[in-house]
Amino acid sequence: MKYNWNEPLRRRRKRHPVLGPYLDIIDTWLTEEQALPRKQRYTAKRIFDRLREEHGFEGSRRTVERYVAQRRKELKLERAESYERLEHPGGEAQVDFGTAYVGQAGQFVERKVLVMSFPFSNAAFTFSVRAENTECFLEAMKRIFGRIGGVPSKIWFDNLSAAVVSIDKDGGRTFTDQFLRFAAHYRFQPEFCNPYSGHEKGHVENKVGYSRRNWLVPPPVCDTDTELEEHLARKSEADMDRPHYAKHERIADLWEKERSKLLALPATPFEVFRLEAARLNKYRELRFEKATYPLPQCRGLETVLLKVKWDEIEVFSSDGEYRLLGKLPRPYADKPMTIEWTTVFDGYRRKPRSVMYSDLARYMPPSVRAFIRVEDTELRKVRIALVRRLLESHEMAEVGEALNTLAGHFSPEAVPEHTLYAMKHPEFRPEPLVESHTPVEIHGHMPDLSQYDAILEVWRLVDEVMRSGFSGYTTWWPRCRTSTKPARCVGS
């Protein structure tokens, strides 16, 4: 006899003894409600009411609610799209912009970070710029090409305005002239996603969020864009020393294999710029991108040629000789996110120990950070309270500058409030008076005042005589003192 104790898999029978005759009706309503606005779809109670009123249902409301909840989950799974895992050949890249904030001068400023990811190896490279215009977009890709030592054979983009001017109804695209010349110079094949279909380049979409969370949290303190570029380069290099999420090999090893499939860099780098004519106003000023630049070396109402790059503007004469007239920084309006220092210091006052390991302390001026980060707990409380009070009427940078004047010799009782006042109300000290009438030969000459002293001594003696013994002093002496002939006064 053969024994088999394995439990067979049997299809579970769904029993709906009361609701069974009404299942098709409920399924029809739940399927058709997808065509209705979300706020006007069925509730389980409404289905129960209709079944009872229109079809004579005698079951409980709880039975209907339980089936509706379960059936909606099943319908949602049936409507869910299925995706196939894509296999990316080496040497292909995806590109997208991300927005991040960095610490500068006690506040956060916005920067755009271009991310270029390689799905085959999961490597990613970045470059930060001020805006998402065409010049910044192409310059960032050019810098990344130079850093990786090659060019991807195919690059996927979304329909960013820096490259795509318009999209036709049939899906055709009109590109910017600079982008077409850039792609031809570096010989890569551009591929663009369908409109509103960022998931088609999902690898770089995930990399943008990954790099922001892991490389820019907390926001680094970078006083210049070069410092931010170096920070991102270090982070992306260190990130490759980890295993691939699916292939379980080091990303750095996979990247070395993929580098061999990159196209060679051209012998001459592409110079990213656009030419634009402009006319000065009658005050010899150039108006460009909402900024005004004085050009005193030019003539009023003169037409000039602008060579607009990603970070500067070169001004040339338009007379055919193209003489360089000057270089101007390209105007970018930073979008700052100010740190509410008063709120931060309110938290420090409640928990004074937190200032010793606070991330926001990195964005304070060094003098303020040194002032409040002391080991003595009681002294720390006093100093935190003093800085909090000063922030009610002064900026954080001003408090830091005032503390710098003490050169480290500060105490809670000597916070330089007078220095802060003097910074806002500087003392007026006029320049020495210069007059041209005095001969140069006697400049600095000190006259001999002994003769004047002798004359004054004579008058002092006369005054004593008159006061002591001369009759009629009160009647004639005032007239004598004011007279120009003192000898006559005495004889009378």
Side-chain angles (χ1 to χ4, degrees):
M1 180 180 290
K2 296 182 178 180
Y3 297 97
N4 185 3
W5 293 91
N6 292 313
E7 183 178 359
L9 295 176
R10 297 185 180 92
R11 183 175 181 180
R12 296 183 61 185
R13 298 176 61 184
K14 296 182 179 180
R15 297 180 180 180
H16 301 282
V18 179
L19 200 60
Y22 306 95
L23 294 182
D24 291 340
I25 299 174
I26 297 175
D27 289 352
T28 301
W29 289 347
L30 293 178
T31 302
E32 291 178 348
E33 76 171 355
Q34 298 301 314
L36 301 175
R38 182 175 295 275
K39 294 184 178 181
Q40 288 183 249
R41 294 179 183 177
Y42 282 101
T43 62
K45 179 182 181 303
R46 179 56 183 155
I47 292 177
F48 169 73
D49 292 340
R50 285 196 64 184
L51 289 176
R52 189 175 55 179
E53 296 170 3
E54 301 176 15
H55 301 279
F57 178 66
E58 296 181 355
S60 67
R61 174 177 169 182
R62 177 66 177 172
T63 302
V64 176
E65 290 176 344
R66 184 165 51 246
Y67 176 77
V68 168
Q70 180 63 31
R71 187 56 182 153
R72 275 189 167 140
K73 292 180 181 178
E74 295 173 355
L75 291 174
K76 185 176 181 180
L77 292 175
E78 292 174 6
R79 293 191 301 268
E81 298 183 19
S82 300
Y83 296 94
E84 295 291 335
R85 187 177 295 278
L86 301 179
E87 190 65 32
H88 297 277
E92 294 187 0
Q94 300 177 4
V95 167
D96 196 14
F97 268 113
T99 302
Y101 285 89
V102 297
Q104 284 189 2
Q107 63 182 4
F108 295 131
V109 294
E110 182 183 277
R111 290 292 180 266
K112 301 296 181 179
V113 180
L114 186 79
V115 179
M116 180 179 292
S117 69
F118 291 82
F120 175 82
S121 63
N122 199 28
F125 304 90
T126 60
F127 188 81
S128 63
V129 290
R130 294 291 189 93
E132 295 185 20
N133 55 47
T134 302
E135 291 76 30
C136 288
F137 168 59
L138 298 181
E139 184 68 27
M141 284 206 298
K142 170 186 169 182
R143 297 293 185 95
I144 294 176
F145 292 163
R147 181 181 168 196
I148 65 179
V151 181
S153 58
K154 182 186 292 185
I155 306 179
W156 290 83
F157 306 91
D158 55 14
N159 300 282
L160 68 172
S161 59
V164 180
V165 177
S166 61
I167 304 176
D168 303 331
K169 294 181 179 180
D170 58 356
R173 291 169 175 80
T174 302
F175 302 104
T176 62
D177 178 65
Q178 287 188 79
F179 178 78
L180 289 176
R181 290 189 291 109
F182 183 86
H185 187 89
Y186 286 100
R187 310 181 314 285
F188 65 84
Q189 177 185 346
E191 294 286 345
F192 289 86
C193 302
N194 293 315
Y196 310 106
S197 302
H199 61 274
E200 296 180 358
K201 54 177 183 57
H203 189 269
V204 73
E205 295 280 347
N206 292 331
K207 273 296 182 184
V208 168
Y210 175 86
S211 60
R212 183 165 45 221
R213 292 188 300 270
N214 293 275
W215 304 347
L216 295 169
V217 175
V221 180
C222 301
D223 294 330
T224 63
D225 292 340
T226 302
E227 292 182 14
L228 177 59
E229 178 186 350
E230 294 173 352
H231 171 82
L232 290 172
R234 290 193 303 269
K235 291 292 185 178
S236 61
E237 189 74 22
D239 187 70
M240 290 196 290
D241 190 22
R242 62 185 179 93
H244 190 280
Y245 61 92
K247 300 177 181 178
H248 306 296
E249 297 182 50
R250 282 179 70 245
I251 296 176
D253 299 334
L254 293 171
W255 171 241
E256 287 302 320
K257 299 177 184 177
E258 189 169 16
R259 286 185 64 180
S260 61
K261 299 181 180 181
L262 299 178
L263 302 176
L265 288 170
T268 304
F270 186 84
E271 187 178 6
V272 180
F273 68 90
R274 79 171 189 267
L275 294 177
E276 183 177 325
R279 191 182 185 189
L280 307 184
N281 60 21
K282 60 183 179 180
Y283 304 106
R284 296 179 292 179
E285 296 173 339
L286 170 66
R287 183 73 176 172
F288 182 81
E289 293 182 349
K290 298 182 180 181
T292 302
Y293 299 97
L295 291 173
Q297 65 272 35
C298 301
R299 300 187 305 274
L301 304 179
E302 180 181 356
T303 300
V304 295
L305 187 66
L306 305 180
K307 187 177 182 180
V308 183
K309 300 182 179 181
W310 75 289
D311 58 345
E312 68 176 6
I313 308 166
E314 295 182 356
V315 184
F316 293 90
S317 63
S318 60
D319 54 3
E321 298 182 1
Y322 303 116
R323 293 174 289 103
L324 180 62
L325 302 176
K327 293 184 179 181
L328 308 171
R330 187 162 182 179
Y332 288 113
D334 284 334
K335 297 179 181 179
M337 186 174 68
T338 306
I339 301 174
E340 294 294 338
W341 288 114
T342 54
T343 305
V344 173
F345 271 81
D346 286 339
Y348 291 162
R349 284 200 296 185
R350 290 191 297 270
K351 297 181 179 180
R353 285 187 299 178
S354 64
V355 74
M356 305 301 289
Y357 49 84
S358 170
D359 283 336
L360 291 177
R362 302 165 63 233
Y363 311 109
M364 299 178 189
S367 57
V368 178
R369 189 165 58 247
F371 184 71
I372 62 177
R373 279 186 168 178
V374 291
E375 295 298 331
D376 189 340
T377 305
E378 295 301 322
L379 180 59
R380 189 190 312 149
K381 291 180 181 179
V382 173
R383 293 188 174 186
I384 289 173
L386 286 172
V387 175
R388 172 61 179 86
R389 178 167 55 81
L390 293 175
L391 290 174
E392 294 180 357
S393 55
H394 302 88
E395 299 293 332
M396 174 61 78
E398 296 174 345
V399 176
E401 186 177 350
L403 289 173
N404 278 331
T405 61
L406 297 176
H409 301 288
F410 38 68
S411 63
E413 297 79 11
V415 175
E417 295 187 64
H418 61 282
T419 305
L420 288 168
Y421 181 86
M423 289 167 52
K424 286 193 172 183
H425 307 84
E427 181 182 356
F428 174 69
R429 295 185 178 183
E431 296 292 331
L433 179 63
V434 178
E435 51 89 15
S436 58
H437 302 289
T438 303
V440 180
E441 292 79 6
I442 63 172
H443 280 183
H445 174 68
M446 292 299 295
D448 183 9
L449 300 180
S450 58
Q451 298 179 1
Y452 297 96
D453 293 339
I455 296 175
L456 290 176
E457 182 62 21
V458 171
W459 279 101
R460 186 184 65 79
L461 295 174
V462 171
D463 185 59
E464 290 181 0
V465 170
M466 296 303 176
R467 286 177 181 272
S468 60
F470 190 79
S471 61
Y473 164 76
T474 56
T475 58
W476 66 267
W477 176 240
R479 186 175 69 252
C480 180
R481 293 196 58 172
T482 58
S483 173
T484 57
K485 299 179 181 180
R488 184 177 178 183
C489 291
V490 174
S492 63

